[in-house]
Amino acid sequence: WLVFVDQNVNGQRDDNEPVLRRHEALPRGWSITGNAPVHNYVMYDPGGDSILSSGAFQAGTLTICQQNSGATEAVRIIINKVGRPRTDKATLSSC
């Protein structure tokens, strides 16, 4: 996981953009996936709104779960169109 200042607002870290925080990968057997709007990145503007690199609002859901073939508990991080995240627990048929 990488938090950085996206100075050119392209949704990718370029060599000259400062890194604010790094975090190790999830432990083996865990997965985090996002639906289309947040599949590759989550970006916030200086006012705290979540935005796409095109400037449109960004809303979506990230799902964190332990990978297995049966039913599993998951946590969803749901980001609304003004950037506010909330969490929700769910049971999935598989992860």
Side-chain angles (χ1 to χ4, degrees):
W1 308 5
L2 187 64
V3 178
F4 62 95
V5 178
D6 191 5
Q7 295 169 329
N8 60 0
V9 194
N10 67 353
Q12 299 178 0
R13 183 179 176 271
D14 298 314
D15 290 337
N16 63 335
E17 294 175 327
V19 173
L20 303 176
R21 180 168 283 239
R22 286 184 195 271
H23 195 282
E24 63 215 35
L26 290 175
R28 181 179 298 274
W30 286 84
S31 171
I32 183 167
T33 57
N35 63 353
V38 295
H39 181 73
N40 294 318
Y41 65 89
V42 177
M43 185 184 322
Y44 287 89
D45 69 13
D49 293 334
S50 52
I51 60 168
L52 294 168
S53 58
S54 67
F57 77 83
Q58 182 182 40
T61 301
L62 299 165
T63 302
I64 304 168
C65 56
Q66 192 168 11
Q67 298 171 334
N68 63 39
S69 58
T72 186
E73 296 294 314
V75 174
R76 292 183 176 146
I77 302 169
I78 302 161
I79 302 167
N80 72 12
K81 71 177 188 173
V82 294
R84 180 183 168 270
R86 66 178 174 89
T87 59
D88 182 45
K89 291 185 179 181
T91 301
L92 305 177
S93 58
S94 66
C95 178

